[in-house]
Amino acid sequence: MRLRGFSRKSELLQHDLLQLLTTVKQALGVMANGILEHDGAIADFQGDAALGFWGWPMSLEEGPVPACRAALSILRDFNNKSQDGGLLDGFSVGIGIAHGEAIAGEIGTEKQAKIGVFGPVVNQGARLEGLSKQLGVSICMDDATAQFVRRFVPESEARTRCLARVRPAGMDTPVTVHQLLFPDERESSVSDRLLRGYQDGLEAVIDGAWSEARCVLELFRETDGASAFLLRQMETLGNRAPEDWDGAFSLSRK
């Protein structure tokens, strides 16, 4: 998970680095608390980002569900605290959640090591965090995580939305990306009407019926980042599905 608004905050506080450090520590603290309070472990802090992981040393029956609960808690804290004029004013957060096998434990060299996590799923989570910004949403998750949410999490606690099929930059295998949402449409700003319309639009995109897809998605372009994303991707291809179209957009940037 990564802070958004860091560059702007750095510019504003370029002559007060101690204040900048204090604000970043406060933001990272919100992330850390959310991870730890939902039984996760922190592998690393990387500038304006934090890496958390679950299922170590024992695997979890609910898989990535605790990570999803942590993500919603962190997002809610950012939404609330960024509106009170305090240290988090101007910050938001982007989160990627991926589920799969990884190696966790002591990672490093003979002279210096730390408790960390290693494996392709870690890279997948980082890619999803980057996609959250491109798609204009706060929390992105992979298909495996979305299946666990639908199985273990009641709709009174969270909702999901399938966002797109994409090939992230540098990858050949398509990834189905989902959004994790608050249960209350007022809190998430994603209405039930938008969810239904977007689903119809996405299915038309995947099926290659782009004229139909555009008619639906244009209704939400100004208020929904994911709708705008799909429309932009179609526009880059001349608003016509390629002959070899398999339902997945190939992205040129991370």
Side-chain angles (χ1 to χ4, degrees):
M1 57 190 72
R2 185 176 300 276
L3 287 176
R4 294 178 182 168
F6 178 74
S7 296
R8 176 60 176 162
K9 185 76 73 170
S10 298
E11 182 179 7
L12 292 173
L13 296 175
Q14 60 181 308
H15 301 300
D16 191 349
L17 295 182
L18 286 178
Q19 178 68 3
L20 177 61
L21 177 60
T22 299
T23 61
V24 172
K25 287 173 64 176
Q26 177 78 8
L28 292 175
V30 172
M31 296 179 184
N33 289 340
I35 293 169
L36 298 175
E37 288 174 1
H38 290 83
D39 301 322
I42 299 171
D44 202 3
F45 293 108
Q46 302 167 342
D48 60 348
L51 172 61
F53 64 99
W54 281 257
W56 175 84
M58 299 291 292
S59 62
L60 304 174
E61 180 182 356
E62 295 184 335
V65 168
C68 293
R69 292 193 170 111
L72 288 173
S73 174
I74 291 166
L75 178 58
R76 183 174 283 115
D77 280 347
F78 267 93
N79 288 347
N80 292 337
K81 293 182 179 181
S82 64
Q83 297 172 5
D84 63 9
L87 290 176
L88 295 187
D89 182 39
F91 277 139
S92 59
V93 64
I95 302 173
I97 307 173
H99 176 64
E101 292 187 356
I103 297 173
E106 188 176 277
I107 296 175
T109 68
E110 293 181 358
K111 293 185 176 180
Q112 185 170 343
K114 64 179 181 179
I115 298 299
V117 60
F118 176 82
V121 69
V122 181
N123 180 60
Q124 178 95 316
R127 294 298 185 97
L128 289 165
E129 179 272 314
L131 284 170
S132 72
K133 186 172 184 179
Q134 293 189 54
L135 285 156
V137 303
S138 297
I139 305 173
C140 279
M141 54 187 178
D142 62 2
D143 197 54
T145 301
Q147 291 182 34
F148 271 90
V149 172
R150 296 190 185 106
R151 179 181 175 188
F152 288 103
V153 180
E155 292 185 358
S156 60
E157 188 176 347
R159 296 177 297 160
T160 65
R161 170 168 61 149
C162 185
L163 292 173
R165 278 174 51 80
V166 300
R167 290 184 187 83
M171 296 179 64
D172 296 324
T173 304
V175 175
T176 301
V177 185
H178 300 258
Q179 182 182 10
L180 183 65
L181 293 159
F182 293 118
D184 189 329
E185 62 182 66
R186 292 170 298 181
E187 188 174 17
S188 67
S189 74
V190 176
S191 67
D192 292 336
R193 173 176 173 268
L194 169 55
L195 284 179
R196 292 190 297 268
Y198 189 89
Q199 181 63 37
D200 292 340
L202 177 61
E203 289 177 1
V205 169
I206 292 174
D207 291 342
W210 285 11
S211 294
E212 177 185 337
R214 290 175 61 230
C215 288
V216 176
L217 295 171
E218 283 288 358
L219 297 173
F220 310 108
R221 182 171 196 153
E222 298 302 319
T223 58
D224 180 50
S227 295
F229 170 85
L230 291 181
L231 288 165
R232 289 195 304 271
Q233 295 303 313
M234 286 187 284
E235 288 164 1
T236 61
L237 296 172
N239 285 319
R240 294 189 62 181
E243 292 185 2
D244 60 349
W245 176 245
D246 63 355
F249 291 110
S250 297
L251 305 181
S252 59
R253 65 184 181 90
K254 295 183 180 179

